[in-house]
Amino acid sequence: MQEAQFISLLWLIGIIAEAMTGALCAGKKQMDLFGVVIIGCATAIGGGTLRDMMLGNYPLIWVENVHYLIAIALASLLTVVIAPVMRYLSKLFLAIDALGLAVFSIIGAKKTLALGFGPEVAVVMGLVTGVFGGVIRDILCNQMPLIFKKELYALVALLTAALYISLKSYGISEWANLAICLPFGFGLRMLAIRFQWGMPKFDYQYGEVH
Amino acid sequence: MQEAQFISLLWLIGIIAEAMTGALCAGKKQMDLFGVVIIGCATAIGGGTLRDMMLGNYPLIWVENVHYLIAIALASLLTVVIAPVMRYLSKLFLAIDALGLAVFSIIGAKKTLALGFGPEVAVVMGLVTGVFGGVIRDILCNQMPLIFKKELYALVALLTAALYISLKSYGISEWANLAICLPFGFGLRMLAIRFQWGMPKFDYQYGEVH
Amino acid sequence: MQEAQFISLLWLIGIIAEAMTGALCAGKKQMDLFGVVIIGCATAIGGGTLRDMMLGNYPLIWVENVHYLIAIALASLLTVVIAPVMRYLSKLFLAIDALGLAVFSIIGAKKTLALGFGPEVAVVMGLVTGVFGGVIRDILCNQMPLIFKKELYALVALLTAALYISLKSYGISEWANLAICLPFGFGLRMLAIRFQWGMPKFDYQYGEVH
């Protein structure tokens, strides 16, 4: 298997995991099946779509290859079918989501570099790709974005993207880079969930913000 | 009247109906007149704007012809004036909104095909054009998007766009296509309201979604 | 100092003020430091980013010069540090925010004209640049956009942009134009806060909006 195919495979796992988080969130709000599909799609491709729109990089991936959308829609509907057993699979599910986070951050950074942008922009876009699908999901479900309150999530995306870019700048092979960054991002996220590591909170309750 | 003029006329009716739903939603949240205008505009042109931004199709319609924005702003303000009688006109209003939904879906599909994209992308963009104005309205009004919970709405947009594209692929004339798709989309939406047809709901209340 | 440098300086003050309103809003929702930074950034650059994405004007300012993002991130974090004294500085803070509003509106209009768009589009984009950072902040914090309910804000952006464009069309020098428009926008906003000037509200509590 080529390295590009391996990344594509991981990316598919990632978008399916993200679609499932979107579908479950829609289910918590008792949406209908169409809402489930739309929120599943927005969660899975929202981060990458926002990145490409901010970079002016057209056509968007799912416009060029609309079969991804169909796969995501099916994954969203499948989530409805298997929902009764999802709660017994919650640890597996968290693991797949953590893998998706690491993969999305790496892909976001890699694509941005490939478009000729500098490493700082690539770190930002790794972060955007990794976390904004979930932010868009939470906006569509009318709830506060979870990733700004819970265990390390955005920081994992940022550090994974930064590590990938740093190692790449030293000329390390793509396979070796993935072999380091994927376990790093995945492991950091899993440890954060296990030990409830979070960033310090900012609690500001005075006065009026305009 | 040319067929393009007829579509433009219907489109004008559609954006005015959408502007009015935006203005009423702002009124439910007791916003000021500027909020009414901004939410009216975002509702009326949000779906088409998102479509064109996702396709990289510039300049946007309302940037090229800013008079549309002024018409929408006036329609939003007019809604405030006639609000006291709106509740007696609610059936008329639902009918205009249903017409707008059908028109937007057809226009979204038609424009996407005209840009050279394939039929699947055109269906997706018909859906986006038809429903995302309302989604953006609900986000700006800080409420759960209604179209994911109530009677058939997004499905009407999808089916109308798909029907239009299918018939077009058989070489049917544009007039005949409109004569079939407009009553189809309009009628399906009105029947859905009348008989409270909705998609099945997904109710998921277990565990924590990350 | 050149006029362009003076505007850049004011713009920096403006984005820092906006970043601080974003950080405080995140603090009201007890977000973590990463949420503070992301919402600070989205508030500070959201309006200009949306404008440039709607105009198809790439690369975005902060993609071309990523150091702005770092400055905004630091300003957001600084807000956390100085939060205990912020409530004693609330008047100073409102004044800086009012200055930012005037500057953003002028810059939005000026950039749009420089891209070759007409004066009406430039007014709209002055408004978008001035107020949508705050709208995006409120969406990310899951609250109703404040600017649609409180003292004059969006109207200040619109009038300031329109005044700037009108005076420019009479061939007035850039310095003279700034010397008129900055105090106008700043003063109007401060007077609106002082005397609680607001637009009339639209209160619509009947029936169902679809």
Side-chain angles (χ1 to χ4, degrees):
Chain A
M1 183 155 57
Q2 298 290 315
E3 156 265 327
Q5 287 174 300
F6 179 66
I7 288 192
S8 290
L9 179 68
L10 289 174
W11 181 69
L12 264 174
I13 294 172
I15 57 174
I16 285 170
E18 289 293 298
M20 294 174 86
T21 71
L24 292 179
C25 192
K28 290 210 154 193
K29 302 287 180 163
Q30 292 141 49
M31 292 193 185
D32 65 29
L33 294 186
F34 225 104
V36 167
V37 167
I38 290 179
I39 290 177
C41 289
T43 307
I45 57 168
T49 295
L50 183 61
R51 175 198 69 223
D52 283 334
M53 288 172 70
M54 292 198 305
L55 293 176
N57 181 33
Y58 295 101
L60 300 178
I61 294 164
W62 55 271
V63 168
E64 198 163 35
N65 194 338
V66 81
H67 299 109
Y68 289 131
L69 266 193
I70 296 167
I72 295 166
L74 292 177
S76 305
L77 290 175
L78 183 67
T79 309
V80 177
V81 177
I82 64 170
V85 296
M86 283 299 285
R87 51 183 157 158
Y88 305 112
L89 300 174
S90 64
K91 279 183 186 161
L92 173 64
F93 185 67
L94 281 176
I96 297 176
D97 182 62
L99 183 62
L101 176 65
V103 173
F104 276 31
S105 308
I106 293 170
I107 289 178
K110 185 181 163 76
K111 292 207 171 193
T112 307
L113 290 175
L115 288 167
F117 295 97
E120 296 96 340
V121 178
V123 171
V124 173
M125 291 304 166
L127 173 67
V128 167
T129 311
V131 309
F132 268 80
V135 172
I136 292 169
R137 174 197 65 209
D138 292 342
I139 290 173
L140 287 174
C141 289
N142 197 27
Q143 66 188 16
M144 181 98 54
L146 282 174
I147 61 150
F148 300 150
K149 301 199 91 168
K150 310 266 295 188
E151 308 91 357
L152 298 184
Y153 198 96
L155 187 68
V156 173
L158 185 88
L159 292 177
T160 305
L163 180 63
Y164 173 84
I165 294 162
S166 303
L167 292 175
K168 195 182 178 82
S169 76
Y170 289 111
I172 196 177
S173 83
E174 195 68 19
W175 274 115
N177 203 343
L178 288 177
I180 293 168
C181 292
L182 279 175
F184 170 78
F186 174 76
L188 184 59
R189 171 68 183 148
M190 293 308 283
L191 287 171
I193 294 172
R194 172 70 185 78
F195 297 107
Q196 299 195 291
W197 292 342
M199 301 281 284
K201 299 270 189 303
F202 174 37
D203 190 348
Y204 182 78
Q205 300 302 337
Y206 314 108
E208 189 66 32
V209 183
H210 276 80
Chain B
M1 183 156 56
Q2 298 291 314
E3 157 264 326
Q5 287 174 302
F6 180 65
I7 288 190
S8 290
L9 180 67
L10 289 175
W11 182 69
L12 264 174
I13 294 172
I15 57 174
I16 285 170
E18 289 292 298
M20 293 175 86
T21 72
L24 291 180
C25 193
K28 289 212 155 193
K29 303 287 180 163
Q30 292 142 49
M31 293 192 185
D32 66 28
L33 294 186
F34 225 104
V36 167
V37 167
I38 290 179
I39 289 177
C41 289
T43 308
I45 57 168
T49 295
L50 182 61
R51 176 198 69 223
D52 283 334
M53 288 172 71
M54 292 198 304
L55 293 176
N57 181 33
Y58 294 101
L60 300 178
I61 294 164
W62 55 269
V63 168
E64 198 162 34
N65 194 337
V66 81
H67 299 108
Y68 290 132
L69 266 193
I70 296 167
I72 296 166
L74 292 177
S76 306
L77 290 175
L78 182 67
T79 309
V80 177
V81 176
I82 65 170
V85 296
M86 282 300 283
R87 52 183 157 157
Y88 305 110
L89 300 174
S90 64
K91 279 182 188 163
L92 174 64
F93 185 66
L94 282 175
I96 297 176
D97 183 61
L99 183 62
L101 176 64
V103 173
F104 276 31
S105 308
I106 293 170
I107 289 178
K110 186 180 161 78
K111 292 209 171 191
T112 307
L113 290 175
L115 289 167
F117 294 98
E120 296 96 341
V121 177
V123 172
V124 174
M125 292 303 167
L127 174 67
V128 167
T129 311
V131 309
F132 268 81
V135 172
I136 292 169
R137 173 198 64 209
D138 292 342
I139 290 172
L140 287 174
C141 288
N142 196 27
Q143 66 188 19
M144 181 96 55
L146 283 175
I147 62 149
F148 299 150
K149 302 200 90 169
K150 312 266 293 188
E151 308 91 358
L152 298 184
Y153 198 95
L155 187 68
V156 173
L158 185 88
L159 293 177
T160 306
L163 180 63
Y164 173 84
I165 294 162
S166 304
L167 293 174
K168 195 181 178 81
S169 75
Y170 289 111
I172 196 176
S173 82
E174 195 69 19
W175 274 116
N177 203 342
L178 289 177
I180 293 168
C181 292
L182 279 175
F184 169 79
F186 174 77
L188 185 58
R189 171 70 182 148
M190 292 309 283
L191 287 171
I193 295 172
R194 173 70 186 77
F195 297 106
Q196 299 195 293
W197 291 343
M199 301 281 284
K201 299 270 190 301
F202 175 37
D203 191 348
Y204 182 78
Q205 300 301 336
Y206 313 108
E208 189 65 33
V209 183
H210 274 81
Chain C
M1 182 156 54
Q2 298 291 314
E3 156 263 327
Q5 287 174 303
F6 179 66
I7 288 191
S8 290
L9 180 68
L10 289 175
W11 182 69
L12 264 174
I13 294 172
I15 57 174
I16 285 169
E18 288 294 297
M20 294 175 86
T21 72
L24 291 179
C25 193
K28 290 210 153 193
K29 302 287 179 163
Q30 292 141 48
M31 292 193 186
D32 65 29
L33 294 187
F34 225 104
V36 167
V37 167
I38 290 179
I39 289 177
C41 289
T43 308
I45 58 169
T49 296
L50 183 60
R51 176 198 68 223
D52 283 334
M53 288 172 71
M54 292 198 304
L55 294 176
N57 180 33
Y58 294 101
L60 300 177
I61 294 164
W62 55 271
V63 168
E64 198 163 33
N65 194 338
V66 81
H67 299 108
Y68 290 132
L69 267 194
I70 295 166
I72 295 166
L74 292 177
S76 305
L77 291 175
L78 182 68
T79 308
V80 178
V81 177
I82 65 170
V85 296
M86 282 300 283
R87 52 184 157 156
Y88 305 111
L89 300 174
S90 64
K91 279 182 187 162
L92 173 64
F93 185 66
L94 282 175
I96 297 176
D97 182 61
L99 183 63
L101 176 65
V103 173
F104 276 30
S105 308
I106 293 170
I107 289 178
K110 184 181 164 78
K111 291 207 171 192
T112 307
L113 290 175
L115 289 167
F117 294 97
E120 295 96 341
V121 178
V123 171
V124 173
M125 292 303 167
L127 173 67
V128 167
T129 310
V131 309
F132 269 80
V135 172
I136 292 170
R137 174 197 64 210
D138 291 342
I139 290 173
L140 287 173
C141 289
N142 196 27
Q143 66 188 17
M144 181 98 54
L146 283 175
I147 62 149
F148 299 150
K149 302 199 91 169
K150 311 265 294 188
E151 307 92 358
L152 298 184
Y153 197 95
L155 187 68
V156 173
L158 186 88
L159 293 178
T160 305
L163 180 63
Y164 173 83
I165 294 162
S166 303
L167 293 175
K168 195 180 179 81
S169 75
Y170 288 112
I172 195 176
S173 81
E174 195 69 19
W175 274 115
N177 204 341
L178 289 176
I180 294 168
C181 292
L182 279 175
F184 169 79
F186 174 77
L188 184 59
R189 171 68 182 147
M190 294 308 284
L191 286 171
I193 294 172
R194 174 68 186 78
F195 296 107
Q196 300 194 291
W197 291 343
M199 301 281 284
K201 298 269 189 303
F202 174 38
D203 190 349
Y204 181 77
Q205 300 302 337
Y206 314 108
E208 189 64 32
V209 184
H210 275 80

